[in-house]
Amino acid sequence: GRVRAPTHIISTISDDRGEEPCYAGVPMSSIVEQGYGVGDVISLLWFKRSLPRYCTKFIEICIMLCADHGPCVSGAHNTIVTARAGKDLVSSLVSGLLTIGPRFGGAIDDAARYFKDAYDRGLTAYEFVESMKKKGIRVPGIGHRIKRGDNRDKRVELLQLFARTNFPSVKYMEYAVQVETYTLSKANNLVLNVDGAIGSLFLDLLAGSGMFTKQEIDEIIEIGYLNGLFVLARSIGLIGHTFDQKRLKQPLYRHPWEDVLYTK
Ligand code: ACO
Ligand code: LMR
């Protein structure tokens, strides 16, 4: 029989050997002819399947809502400083991306992990939050520097509205809202933030769409796909900030002495 020579790479998401490249088996021409959007392309390349329209629309809304949040946030600040140091597009972009992590934009996976674990174990919001406090872990997906109980994050409201209208179930999101209600009773800055909203709603998308087995959902959460949504989205804004600084011919940035507390 035929013996397959051993390979150094295994790849399962795309193939460019034929007449046209395919994403998860779907040829480029179908993607264009069927009017697929970026949500469909993410579905194919990340989840290796076509997802229902409400799911791809949700992914697209996440991307649009997280594309930028002004020049003052960690990522944009780094990108602006880097662009003003005369660095190229890729350097300016990755300098901003490198700030995405557990405090800024990169709490989506952990929010999904902790909310799923707590909900599936039947913990009340009180039990969950207090158990996190005992462990000295901040609840991922809760808290914001400028958003408050009386100044909610519009992005969170828009995502919740879309999901309540289109998802078959929003049980994880409702759980996250119960957590928020409890944390807000402790402090006014402990709102459900956009990472927490996306993390909990993606659990609802994965569980409610009927497109994933339980094992696949566990794998997606364990590997941590969801921070990718913020990384991808914010790249749009960071690229914009790079162009903006170049267009404005901004000089090298130097932080003012007056804004530093020099102390021993
Ligand atoms: N869970 C429990 N307690 C919290 C949380 C949380 N998620 N966030 C803040 N607190 C508590 C803090 O312990 C602090 O109390 P302490 O001073 O007694 O320790 C108090 O609330 C005030 O906290 P600050 O540190 O002043 O809040 P800050 O504005 O610096 O932090 C941050 C904001 C980083 C978002 C924080 O809330 C946090 O770590 N959240 C979890 C991570 C997260 O979800 N990040 C994504 C934010 S959204 C985005 O980046 C797009
Ligand atoms: C963001 O999306 O960048 C913001 O939520 C973060 C912030 O501190 O405003």
Side-chain angles (χ1 to χ4, degrees):
R2 294 171 68 193
V3 178
R4 182 78 173 86
T7 60
H8 292 97
I9 287 180
I10 304 173
S11 172
T12 68
I13 62 165
S14 57
D15 189 343
D16 66 328
R17 290 168 303 170
E19 209 172 290
E20 54 178 325
C22 293
Y23 292 165
V26 179
M28 217 46 79
S29 49
S30 299
I31 288 171
V32 174
E33 282 157 17
Q34 311 272 329
Y36 279 19
V38 76
D40 297 286
V41 171
I42 291 169
S43 302
L44 294 171
L45 290 176
W46 294 11
F47 300 105
K48 295 180 36 173
R49 72 204 69 192
S50 286
L51 291 173
R53 182 67 190 127
Y54 77 88
C55 297
T56 59
K57 182 79 188 152
F58 177 75
I59 291 172
E60 284 167 8
I61 292 173
C62 290
I63 302 293
M64 291 189 291
L65 295 183
C66 294
D68 198 41
H69 207 250
C72 300
V73 305
S74 304
H77 182 84
N78 256 24
T79 289
I80 288 169
V81 171
T82 309
R84 288 182 57 168
K87 301 290 298 248
D88 59 291
L89 171 63
V90 176
S91 305
S92 304
L93 168 63
V94 298
S95 161
L97 288 179
L98 286 171
T99 64
I100 297 176
R103 294 182 184 168
F104 169 66
I108 309 179
D109 284 309
D110 272 344
R113 284 182 190 120
Y114 280 105
F115 286 144
K116 183 172 189 309
D117 178 69
Y119 177 88
D120 291 353
R121 287 196 292 131
L123 296 187
T124 63
Y126 168 84
E127 289 167 338
F128 169 52
V129 174
E130 292 304 323
S131 72
M132 295 291 275
K133 193 173 173 195
K134 264 197 206 117
K135 286 184 257 179
I137 304 172
R138 287 185 175 192
V139 181
I142 294 287
H144 199 274
R145 291 305 295 256
I146 57 169
K147 295 297 167 189
R148 295 284 176 269
D150 49 4
N151 171 31
R152 295 296 242 285
D153 191 328
K154 191 73 190 167
R155 298 169 296 181
V156 172
E157 292 176 352
L158 290 167
L159 289 165
Q160 290 175 329
L161 178 65
F162 180 84
R164 286 202 172 103
T165 315
N166 294 281
F167 283 25
S169 157
V170 287
K171 62 181 186 180
Y172 287 108
M173 184 204 81
E174 295 297 6
Y175 184 70
V177 170
Q178 284 173 28
V179 170
E180 178 192 44
T181 305
Y182 179 64
T183 53
L184 276 178
S185 74
K186 293 167 83 94
N188 201 26
N189 66 321
L190 298 184
V191 291
L192 180 66
N193 61 43
V194 73
D195 284 12
I198 295 176
S200 57
L201 280 169
F202 228 93
L203 290 173
D204 286 319
L205 184 154
L206 294 168
S209 64
M211 301 292 294
F212 299 89
T213 64
K214 201 184 155 305
Q215 202 183 347
E216 284 174 330
I217 296 174
D218 289 344
E219 189 184 47
I220 288 166
I221 302 303
E222 192 195 319
I223 290 176
Y225 285 31
L226 306 181
N227 287 345
L229 290 167
F230 193 90
V231 171
L232 179 65
R234 194 52 60 93
S235 294
I236 300 172
L238 298 179
I239 291 170
H241 283 292
T242 306
F243 295 156
D244 195 36
Q245 296 306 306
K246 305 269 182 206
R247 192 167 47 225
L248 294 166
K249 299 194 184 352
Q250 288 298 283
L252 180 67
Y253 179 80
R254 197 174 198 284
H255 202 74
W257 280 320
E258 308 81 65
D259 192 38
V260 176
L261 172 65
Y262 291 92
T263 181
K264 289 218 188 319

